[in-house]
Amino acid sequence: MSSDILIGYTGMVSFGHSVFFGIGMYGAAAALLTVRPPNLWLALLYGLVAAALVAVFVAYFSTRLRDIYFAITTLVFSQIFYVIIFTWTEVTGGENGLTFRQPPLAIPGVPSAAFTPVTLHWFVLGVVTLSYLLLRRVTQSPFGMVLQSIRENEPRTRAIGYHVERYKIVAVMLSGLVAGLAGVLYAIQNKFVAPDFVFFVVSGEVVIFNVMGGMGTLVGPVAGAAFFLLLREGLSRFWTEYYLIPVGIIFTLMVIWIPQGLLGFAKRRLNQ
Amino acid sequence: MTVSQSNAAPADGRGGAPILRTEGLTVRFGGLTALDNVSLAVPPGEIRAIIGPNGAGKSTLFNCVTGVLRPTAGRIVFEGEDIAGLPPHRISRKAIARSYQITNILPGATVLENVRIAVQSRHHAWNLLRHHRSYADVLDRARAVLDAVGLRADEEELAANLSHGAQRNLEIGIALATEPRLLCLDEPTAGMSVAETRATVELVRRIARNLTILIVEHDMEVVMGLAQTITVLHYGEVLAEGAPAEIQANPRVQEVYLKT
Ligand SMILES: Nc1ncnc2c1ncn2[C@@H]1O[C@H](COP(=O)(O)OP(=O)(O)OP(=O)(O)O)[C@@H](O)[C@H]1O
Ligand SMILES: [Mg+2]
């Protein structure tokens, strides 16, 4: 599922698509577990609204940052989200995930029927095709042209009167919606959700080391790794498995306040 | 030659309120004072030239007026409202536009799209579902602008493929497309051939009928031919202000700048 059509259009890279996917997945699960009888459209609605809300939140913070920092921040959000899912066992089922029943295919005016493998296939294909067509139209709309203009020349786009941040927020929201939709479809298809789909830690830690320490300083990543591990050890004593939440917050603050990293920051201080 | 209004008429314009006024405008970059207590007033409809040696602060003045820079001190009053420190997109919406000393266009978009997107910033910008080419009002206006700057025949060309001179005119076209009442042109003829320069001077004179123009230019022939009033900046300060003939005759200006 090409959830990055819009991301590609604005020139923003996001690590955090797993978050939106996961939110869509768990949103759908929430609808299917709490509402009796399970309703297909309600699952879709819950998943999409949840994904859109989280996307707006993520977008608000991350569109203030450019390029790599944008990517990193989205990654951090995916980490925080993962930990919440993993540890909030009563609600999310934790590591074991959640199992639920598949809703019937209920099209207004047509008697509802349980999904067969064939109807499920056509349903997914239909939704995917529709959203693809919709997204393609969006990229060619006046709004989509503004996104392309931002990618081509952001300062000039501002200078001719566009509030660039607002356009970026809506772009992230849309791409979050698409990823959320993919999550919903996944949940309906598999009757099962689990935190593994939101997981990004291994590749993520390396990037975190880099940014914490200071990119382009060679020893920076080593310092960053040391700092990260110290932080983890220190915090996990008090916060146990929730330690990634304060780590994520500290990390986000660092990206915002000292984007040059620890070493870069120390160097500047010493030179003053 | 435009010598219609030859009297000096500094600061306060001619009777009517100035469309743009700066009061004590100051910009410091660390220890460097790029603009030092600059006060000037531009009456509506005027072509005002800003001249001065390299590094005098001309582009910095434009950056303040268009919101790229927040002044260290001072006010910028446009149509009676203080706009100092507003972000660029807000200032654009107040009807101030600019062209850049270093060409600043959308190189990967067509000539038409460069201008169309600027027109669109005032019309239908938030529509997500209609095709951008389906708005006849936006397209008509964009094509009228291309006609005005002489680029209508190249509308489907990529902006990056235009000649330098044509890109300079596209710069002006993008600015015009936002329907400004004040247009700031930063060295519009820089790097142009003699023939291209002449055409651009004609273009500026034509568009000046409907709006106020601030123009930074090093080509004195262009300045003398277009401007009704000239402000001379030197090390960020206003060294002199007056009609072209007066500025040409001013010994201090000759010393620091004209020295022909
Ligand atoms: N963003 C900036 N940061 C630091 N110094 C700056 C900045 N912008 C301009 N300056 C300095 O301010 C002074 C005025 O620059 P400005 O670009 O306004 O000159 P100018 O009159 O436009 O010159 P030119 O004729 O070369 O275009 C110069 O000394 C320049 O180096
Ligand atoms: Mg300049």
Side-chain angles (χ1 to χ4, degrees), chain A residues 140 152-153 156 160-162, chain B residues 93 104 108 117 121 129 132:
Chain A
Q140 294 164 341
E152 273 279 306
N153 189 339
R156 187 52 150 162
I160 57 178
Y162 290 106
Chain B
R93 289 176 173 277
N104 193 354
I117 193 85
S121 72
L129 295 177
H132 67 282

Side-chain angles (χ1 to χ4, degrees), chain A:
Chain A
M1 180 92 188
S2 59
S3 63
D4 51 7
I5 292 178
L6 277 153
I7 293 294
Y9 264 78
T10 13
M12 299 190 287
V13 200
S14 161
F15 270 94
H17 266 95
S18 51
V19 182
F20 305 136
F21 183 90
I23 294 275
M25 217 167 59
Y26 278 92
L32 294 176
L33 283 169
T34 54
V35 181
R36 296 279 140 217
N39 183 306
L40 177 66
W41 307 110
L42 222 51
L44 213 64
L45 185 75
Y46 273 42
L48 291 185
V49 169
L53 287 179
V54 174
V56 169
F57 180 72
V58 172
Y60 177 77
F61 283 102
S62 47
T63 50
R64 289 153 176 261
L65 310 161
R66 286 192 61 102
D67 308 333
I68 182 69
Y69 298 115
F70 172 76
I72 301 301
T73 319
T74 54
L75 181 104
V76 168
F77 276 107
S78 81
Q79 295 292 294
I80 294 173
F81 180 66
Y82 174 77
V83 172
I84 292 173
I85 289 182
F86 201 86
T87 50
W88 199 8
T89 320
E90 314 88 79
V91 174
T92 63
E95 196 177 4
N96 298 325
L98 296 167
T99 317
F100 40 84
R101 290 197 5 239
Q102 200 165 49
L105 176 59
I107 298 169
V110 180
S112 78
F115 275 114
T116 65
V118 176
T119 53
L120 183 64
H121 174 81
W122 284 111
F123 175 75
V124 171
L125 193 69
V127 172
V128 171
T129 311
L130 238 150
S131 48
Y132 169 75
L133 290 177
L134 202 69
L135 268 189
R136 215 182 53 172
R137 181 25 78 86
V138 169
T139 61
Q140 294 164 341
S141 71
F143 170 80
M145 298 313 283
V146 177
L147 297 189
Q148 291 186 48
S149 176
I150 292 171
R151 189 196 51 193
E152 273 279 306
N153 189 339
E154 185 171 324
R156 187 52 150 162
T157 309
R158 269 179 222 288
I160 57 178
Y162 290 106
H163 193 335
V164 166
E165 284 70 27
R166 283 204 195 143
Y167 286 84
K168 283 188 172 176
I169 286 176
V170 175
V172 173
M173 207 179 97
L174 281 176
S175 82
L177 268 178
V178 177
L181 179 66
V184 171
L185 292 178
Y186 189 93
I188 291 172
Q189 212 166 5
N190 293 288
K191 299 171 267 180
F192 172 67
V193 297
D196 297 12
F197 307 105
V198 200
F199 196 61
F200 243 120
V201 170
V202 185
S203 66
E205 274 187 355
V206 180
V207 195
I208 291 180
F209 295 165
N210 264 282
V211 175
M212 275 189 166
M215 283 187 296
T217 51
L218 285 180
V219 282
V222 183
F227 182 66
F228 179 79
L229 294 176
L230 272 175
L231 213 59
R232 191 164 77 181
E233 290 315 304
L235 290 169
S236 56
R237 232 170 258 175
F238 306 104
W239 291 67
T240 60
E241 68 264 52
Y242 297 92
Y243 76 91
L244 268 177
I245 296 175
V247 167
I249 291 168
I250 290 173
F251 180 73
T252 309
L253 292 178
M254 282 179 70
V255 169
I256 292 170
W257 300 117
I258 44 170
Q260 70 274 44
L262 284 176
L263 281 197
F265 182 69
K267 228 184 338 194
R268 269 223 325 224
R269 267 295 141 95
L270 291 177
N271 285 343
Q272 269 174 5

Side-chain angles (χ1 to χ4, degrees), chain B residues 59 101 186-187:
Chain B
S59 296
Q101 185 170 353
D186 200 344
E187 304 196 21

Side-chain angles (χ1 to χ4, degrees), chain B residues 53-60 62 98 101-102 186-187 216 218:
Chain B
N54 292 113
K58 307 179 295 292
S59 296
T60 303
F62 277 17
R98 81 180 283 188
Q101 185 170 353
I102 295 160
D186 200 344
E187 304 196 21
V216 167
H218 281 296

